[in-house]
Amino acid sequence: MKEKKMNIAITGATSGIGEQALKSLIHDFEQIFILARNEKKANDIIQEFSKEDQKKCIFIYIDLADMDSVVKAAEKISSKTDHLDVLINNAGGIFKEKEITKDGFEMSLSANHLGHYLLTNKLLPLLLKSKVSKVIHVSSEAHRMGNVNFNDLNYDKRSFSSFGFYANVKLFNILFSKSLVEKFGSEGLKSYALHPGVVKTNFGQETAGAFSFLWKLASPFMITAEQGAQTTIYLAKNKIDDKHNGAYFKKSKPVTPSRSANSKSMRDKLWNKSSELLEKWM
């Protein structure tokens, strides 16, 4: 019987910790779907690999702020494989000013949560076909500052705060991760969220006000993107004890997230609200 090829898909692999994770994981998988907006940047990275590893890489265009493109990306992956073993929801960011996408969603909500929520749900049939499937969500310790109003996810009724938006969506990453285990863990799906560390990237340039100032002060003490990718790499490559399915990881070890992140009520509200907002594409 022919051995099954191990497949992985990763968003945001053209820079930062996503790029470092890709470069480390290239040797551990037979097929790698690189989901990003910038095909040239993706191809430049692929060209750094050996000829053998280049053949493993498949670029898939995706814009997490454009739900039509998310659906097309999932369809493209589905046309190229009948299973998916690992999905790394890595892309995201913090945005200096409030911006509404063409689909009517606040940019941070779309790029950090809704896009990945839709992508993951569209890829669930492939993930559930694999007996070792994992979904890995890059969250942040910023989730501990989350203050969610499920009736105002676009912040239409509150003043804009780039860090406040970011804290909420990083909380959503953990809640979504736990919901996946709750709903599909019995079918073999594993799901984890993680804090990569405070990584020195261009992240702080996208903030404003006091947070931007504090970010610049902390800059000399930050870790590299390569160091920040280590927990992602660990979760993707290693078999994790079943008792930690749905856990939140920091420095490759499970840690306790905020009370909100463990809230059954909040994860149910988030799942239902996300499905409602994305009904057109689900």
Side-chain angles (χ1 to χ4, degrees):
M1 183 173 162
K2 190 175 179 181
E3 187 177 347
K4 182 185 77 170
K5 284 187 176 182
M6 292 288 284
N7 297 330
I8 184 171
I10 177 171
T11 66
T14 55
S15 64
I17 63 175
E19 178 183 351
Q20 296 303 317
L22 169 63
K23 288 179 175 178
S24 178
L25 295 169
I26 188 75
H27 309 297
D28 296 282
F29 293 86
E30 282 77 34
Q31 198 167 43
I32 298 187
F33 297 100
I34 301 170
L35 285 77
R37 288 182 299 172
N38 193 321
E39 186 171 7
K40 183 183 183 304
K41 285 179 74 173
N43 285 333
D44 287 345
I45 293 169
I46 292 169
Q47 290 303 311
E48 298 177 26
F49 300 144
S50 69
K51 294 294 184 184
E52 183 180 346
D53 285 340
Q54 287 180 29
K55 294 175 184 175
K56 300 177 178 181
C57 299
I58 301 173
F59 172 80
I60 305 283
Y61 175 81
I62 193 170
D63 181 351
L64 293 166
D66 178 351
M67 296 305 151
D68 288 335
S69 95
V70 175
V71 172
K72 288 176 183 175
E75 290 173 347
K76 193 79 177 284
I77 293 174
S78 299
S79 73
K80 294 182 177 298
T81 184
D82 65 353
H83 71 279
L84 187 63
D85 302 290
V86 180
L87 170 62
I88 302 178
N89 289 328
N90 165 80
I94 190 167
F95 299 89
K96 192 179 292 187
E97 297 177 357
K98 183 177 178 181
E99 181 180 346
I100 301 299
T101 71
K102 73 179 188 64
D103 298 320
F105 307 128
E106 185 276 320
M107 179 63 77
S108 184
L109 176 67
S110 185
N112 290 280
H113 170 63
L114 290 177
H116 282 137
Y117 180 92
L118 180 60
L119 177 67
T120 305
N121 274 281
K122 289 292 185 182
L123 292 175
L124 269 173
L126 299 185
L127 287 161
L128 295 176
K129 275 196 174 181
S130 169
K131 301 303 179 187
V132 291
S133 60
K134 301 175 185 176
V135 184
I136 298 166
H137 314 259
V138 179
S139 179
S140 168
E141 281 289 273
H143 84 272
R144 298 184 188 278
M145 303 296 290
N147 181 20
V148 182
N149 179 350
F150 284 105
N151 295 315
D152 187 26
L153 291 184
N154 268 0
Y155 270 60
D156 294 326
K157 303 170 186 174
R158 291 173 287 173
S159 59
F160 178 82
S161 164
S162 58
F163 183 73
F165 273 56
Y166 183 73
N168 283 354
V169 292
K170 293 295 104 178
L171 172 59
F172 294 166
N173 295 156
I174 303 174
L175 292 169
F176 179 41
S177 179
K178 290 181 178 296
S179 283
L180 285 172
V181 174
E182 189 172 53
K183 295 176 184 298
F184 304 103
S186 62
E187 297 180 59
L189 185 68
K190 304 291 192 296
S191 181
Y192 314 102
L194 68 98
H195 171 59
V198 184
V199 181
K200 190 171 185 177
T201 64
N202 292 328
F203 177 91
Q205 295 177 8
E206 301 302 319
T207 63
F211 182 71
S212 178
F213 176 71
L214 292 172
W215 187 266
K216 289 173 184 174
L217 286 181
S219 182
F221 308 101
M222 294 177 184
I223 62 175
T224 65
E226 185 176 5
Q227 291 170 319
Q230 293 309 304
T231 302
T232 299
I233 295 164
Y234 168 78
L235 291 170
K237 289 174 65 170
N238 293 281
K239 178 171 171 43
I240 310 300
D241 194 306
D242 286 348
K243 69 182 179 182
H244 297 312
N245 197 10
Y248 172 64
F249 283 75
K250 182 178 177 180
K251 294 183 178 179
S252 300
K253 294 181 180 178
V255 296
T256 303
S258 69
R259 181 179 296 180
S260 294
N262 278 325
S263 167
K264 160 81 170 149
S265 171
M266 285 193 72
R267 64 178 177 261
D268 287 347
K269 285 180 182 177
L270 179 65
W271 186 280
N272 292 336
K273 189 67 176 180
S274 300
S275 295
E276 176 188 321
L277 291 171
L278 295 169
E279 183 179 9
K280 174 182 173 182
W281 297 275
M282 295 286 280

